[in-house]
Amino acid sequence: MMASIGEFDPLNNIVPATKIEVTVSCRDLQDVDTFSKSDPVVVLYVQGIGTKEWREFGRTEVIDNTLNPNFVRKFFLDFFFEERQNLRFDVYNVDSRSSNISKFDFLGQTFCTLGEIIGSTGGRLEKSLSGIPGKKLGSIIFVAEELSNCRDIATMQLCANKLDKKDFFGKSDPFLVFYRSNEDGTFTICHKTEVVKNTLNPVWQPFTIPVRALCNGDYDRTVKVDVYDWDRDGSHDFIGEFTTSYRDFSRGQNQFNVYEVLNPKKKGKKKKYINSGTVTLLSFKVESEYTFVDFIRGGTQLNFTVAIDFTASNGDPSQPTSLHYINPYQMNAYAMALKAVGEIIQDYDSDKMFPAYGFGAKLPPDGKTSHAFPLSGDNDNPNCVGIDGVLEAYFLSLRTVQLYGPTNFSPVITQVARSAQDVTDGSQYFVLLIITDGVISDMVQTKEAVVNAAALPMSIIIVGVGPAEFDAMEELDGDEIRVSSRGRFAERDIVQFVPFRDYMDRPGNQVLSMARLAKDVLAEIPDQLLGFMKSRGIEPRPALSPSDLPELHGHI
């Protein structure tokens, strides 16, 4: 059990996906029954990541004799911001008792993504049904609600007294490992404290843990805590254990939250054994944690900006060896990265207008070099309509500008930071995607720009294309060491870097590779957004509840 202790990552290991409840209703369905109205049912299909295959996920109940059904049976879906979760809803009229869909009358269908529903105002999306040419088929309405799934976060601090001495020369180096019990009687690790060196009376730092990680929402479920003496070679010595529950912890500091640390082996061997020390709960508090979905449903918009590297090191765009080569049969690396990331983010941006810039090129007519020129060609309006609009402007720019250099990041980061500076109330969050082939020329200025941007509602994604060494990008990513400039450290980690070749060099499914790329570069955005909001004490605005939205009356 202890082998994994060094690699344990509570975030990846524990916190489950956000559960979303989708409620469905339809309006003005086609009437295909001769003597009565249709008896509709909605069937949901989901598409596997990177496959074109649709599989049935679930069905609503059948509601007899109505063209405006409000279905009671809901769909419960796991939501992953960083994935494009394609959904298809088919509506049928059920005429027979069979569950075989081929025996039902088709009334229409619609396609959307789960992100589209969540990203709509108040989590309510209405779409027209299609699928029968030349006929008006009515509409289908979705309302998404996040299931609270115990969002509380517990902060606690513990200390210990008179622990057993395990080290030959010094005192012990104790740490605690917390496990939650599972339904089948097994235990899952859910937290590990830091090691306090050379003491039998340690006081550990306060730590924060999601309540669901500790007990999965069941307050009386057993929580087991092991006490270990840390050893450099990883063979940590077991001092003892105790059990408790979230409910006991929540009573705070009192005599019931002083625990005897027991070592079963010692207890079996020594008659006079009492315990191996005690652990005391010093403090305990619970706060409700807001989620990414709370902010999106409260109206926070993601503003997506793209910056593309037009430096000469990419190669002549008219040559197949160039990273900017436009092949009629296959997208180049720049277009693929842009499409993979952009198609997911666009669901959370209501106006679908995306500023797009290029850097490192000489511009017509006078051949001046620019490090933040709008791909649209319009200095007053850098916006492109949708991701397809950005791709179009990118392909057009390749024909009009001259690839040059150097590779300067700071101008475009500063440009987006200026916009982010104007809206720090939580209503908007800015995501800058930089796609580049090369080594940064203005590293000092870029670090300065990142440190400044870290104080703003902003994240930066860098996708490195081509075979270059990307050491500088790893440094900006700041996962190991936080980025700093002139002795100032970035207040949060806002840069996520991935090398494109890690996803595309493998032969095989291009769609799957793009899905994997998007998943990895977007994975940190929800936490980065929450980190900013929390640091500024910004709470999500209340979501418009479905009852506040205009609603046509239907049948239940």
Side-chain angles (χ1 to χ4, degrees):
M1 189 168 275
M2 289 309 297
S4 67
I5 200 153
E7 305 85 55
F8 172 63
D9 175 353
L11 287 174
N12 291 340
N13 214 3
I14 293 301
V15 179
T18 304
K19 275 264 187 250
I20 299 292
E21 172 191 89
V22 177
T23 304
V24 182
S25 52
C26 300
R27 294 295 170 264
D28 306 320
L29 293 176
Q30 246 201 320
D31 192 358
V32 292
D33 282 0
T34 319
F35 298 111
S36 63
K37 295 193 174 120
S38 298
D39 306 327
V41 64
V42 174
V43 183
L44 165 60
Y45 296 86
V46 297
Q47 201 172 36
I49 262 211
T51 72
K52 296 287 179 214
E53 203 178 307
W54 291 101
R55 54 186 175 78
E56 185 178 325
F57 181 85
R59 303 180 184 189
T60 63
E61 74 279 20
V62 178
I63 298 183
D64 291 342
N65 206 19
T66 175
L67 305 181
N68 297 297
N70 292 328
F71 297 100
V72 176
R73 189 176 298 157
K74 300 169 189 325
F75 298 115
F76 297 98
L77 294 149
D78 287 334
F79 166 63
F80 302 96
F81 165 74
E82 67 275 15
E83 290 176 18
R84 184 177 170 85
Q85 293 176 268
N86 290 324
L87 310 176
R88 181 181 108 209
F89 294 87
D90 290 3
V91 187
Y92 292 95
N93 170 45
V94 178
D95 250 353
S96 67
R97 297 223 169 145
S98 161
S99 63
N100 185 345
I101 284 175
S102 62
K103 296 201 164 66
F104 303 164
D105 302 313
F106 178 69
L107 297 179
Q109 69 180 180
T110 195
F111 297 83
C112 65
T113 66
L114 184 54
E116 220 178 316
I117 303 175
I118 291 168
S120 304
T121 309
R124 180 188 189 274
L125 177 68
E126 181 161 2
K127 297 202 80 161
S128 296
L129 291 166
S130 60
I132 304 176
K135 288 202 171 172
K136 280 196 165 175
L137 303 178
S139 64
I140 184 164
I141 299 159
F142 309 108
V143 177
E145 188 89 40
E146 182 179 8
L147 296 181
S148 65
N149 195 5
C150 186
R151 297 196 202 160
D152 293 346
I153 296 281
T155 303
M156 62 177 103
Q157 183 174 22
L158 296 103
C159 69
N161 210 15
K162 295 184 179 165
L163 292 176
D164 282 356
K165 179 176 178 304
K166 289 284 182 184
D167 290 351
F168 195 65
F169 293 113
K171 295 174 177 159
S172 295
D173 304 321
F175 66 94
L176 302 176
V177 184
F178 289 71
Y179 305 87
R180 69 154 190 260
S181 61
N182 303 317
E183 303 289 345
D184 60 0
T186 60
F187 285 93
T188 301
I189 185 170
C190 59
H191 184 76
K192 188 183 83 183
T193 67
E194 79 283 10
V195 176
V196 183
K197 290 287 184 73
N198 200 25
T199 176
L200 303 180
N201 302 300
V203 178
W204 289 281
Q205 294 290 327
F207 67 88
T208 296
I209 184 168
V211 170
R212 63 183 169 199
L214 199 58
C215 65
N216 216 5
D218 174 357
Y219 292 174
D220 295 308
R221 187 178 289 205
T222 300
V223 174
K224 183 165 87 81
V225 184
D226 286 353
V227 187
Y228 282 93
D229 167 37
W230 178 84
D231 278 329
R232 188 176 299 282
D233 64 2
S235 62
H236 312 301
D237 299 315
F238 179 68
I239 295 174
E241 63 185 14
F242 63 91
T243 58
T244 178
S245 68
Y246 171 80
R247 195 178 298 284
D248 285 345
F249 272 155
S250 65
R251 293 180 177 136
Q253 189 182 19
N254 63 27
Q255 74 270 30
F256 300 110
N257 276 324
V258 177
Y259 299 96
E260 287 193 277
V261 177
L262 299 175
N263 186 323
K265 272 191 185 167
K266 274 192 163 185
K267 203 175 178 182
K269 283 183 188 168
K270 295 183 179 177
K271 282 191 174 163
K272 288 186 176 172
Y273 176 78
I274 300 173
N275 60 42
S276 295
T278 58
V279 168
T280 301
L281 179 71
L282 292 175
S283 64
F284 187 91
K285 75 169 193 255
V286 178
E287 293 169 301
S288 193
E289 185 79 327
Y290 293 115
T291 65
F292 174 73
V293 173
D294 288 332
F295 281 98
I296 297 299
R297 290 196 69 225
T300 297
Q301 291 291 311
L302 294 191
N303 282 324
F304 183 46
T305 303
V306 179
I308 291 178
D309 182 335
F310 282 82
T311 55
S313 52
N314 284 282
D316 178 350
S318 63
Q319 299 300 313
T321 50
S322 168
L323 292 165
H324 281 305
Y325 180 63
I326 301 172
N327 177 336
Y329 305 108
Q330 191 182 2
M331 286 190 290
N332 66 31
Y334 280 90
M336 281 168 73
L338 175 57
K339 200 170 166 64
V341 177
E343 282 196 336
I344 289 172
I345 286 198
Q346 69 179 358
D347 285 341
Y348 305 91
D349 186 327
S350 60
D351 66 6
K352 310 277 183 279
M353 300 295 277
F354 304 120
Y357 297 96
F359 57 90
K362 284 187 169 182
L363 308 188
D366 52 8
K368 272 195 180 146
T369 306
S370 170
H371 294 290
F373 61 90
L375 299 187
S376 64
D378 181 348
N379 283 320
D380 297 326
N381 182 11
N383 286 330
C384 302
V385 181
I387 295 307
D388 290 339
V390 177
L391 284 166
E392 211 174 296
Y394 158 58
F395 293 138
L396 205 60
S397 295
L398 281 175
R399 296 192 184 97
T400 55
V401 306
Q402 183 195 339
L403 271 56
Y404 199 61
T407 309
N408 290 353
F409 277 18
S410 61
V412 78
I413 295 174
T414 306
Q415 179 97 4
V416 176
R418 272 201 288 271
S419 303
Q421 215 163 347
D422 295 337
V423 273
T424 53
D425 62 351
S427 62
Q428 300 190 37
Y429 191 85
F430 293 77
V431 179
L432 168 62
L433 170 65
I434 300 175
I435 312 175
T436 180
D437 80 319
V439 179
I440 304 177
S441 313
D442 64 339
M443 190 62 174
V444 172
Q445 294 88 334
T446 295
K447 281 175 153 184
E448 173 89 354
V450 168
V451 170
N452 291 337
L456 300 170
M458 181 171 164
S459 290
I460 301 167
I461 295 166
I462 304 172
V463 177
V465 293
E469 286 304 316
F470 291 119
D471 298 355
M473 311 296 177
E474 301 285 4
E475 190 181 336
L476 287 178
D477 193 317
D479 279 347
E480 302 298 324
I481 300 164
R482 189 65 57 85
V483 180
S484 63
S485 167
R486 301 192 223 172
R488 259 190 336 136
F489 281 87
E491 69 171 72
R492 2 178 242 120
D493 171 18
I494 62 164
V495 180
Q496 172 73 342
F497 166 73
V498 298
F500 191 75
R501 55 177 173 247
D502 289 2
Y503 300 84
M504 299 302 159
D505 279 359
R506 297 188 289 252
N509 183 334
Q510 188 180 338
V511 178
L512 188 57
S513 298
M514 286 170 71
R516 284 198 191 109
L517 170 78
K519 191 173 163 58
D520 283 3
V521 297
L522 291 173
E524 293 184 10
I525 299 281
D527 280 345
Q528 289 175 1
L529 179 146
L530 286 170
F532 173 78
M533 301 299 186
K534 201 169 182 179
S535 70
R536 298 298 183 273
I538 297 170
E539 296 189 357
R541 297 170 184 185
L544 285 170
S545 76
S547 56
D548 298 331
L549 296 160
E551 171 68 295
L552 297 162
H553 296 294
H555 285 237
I556 302 288

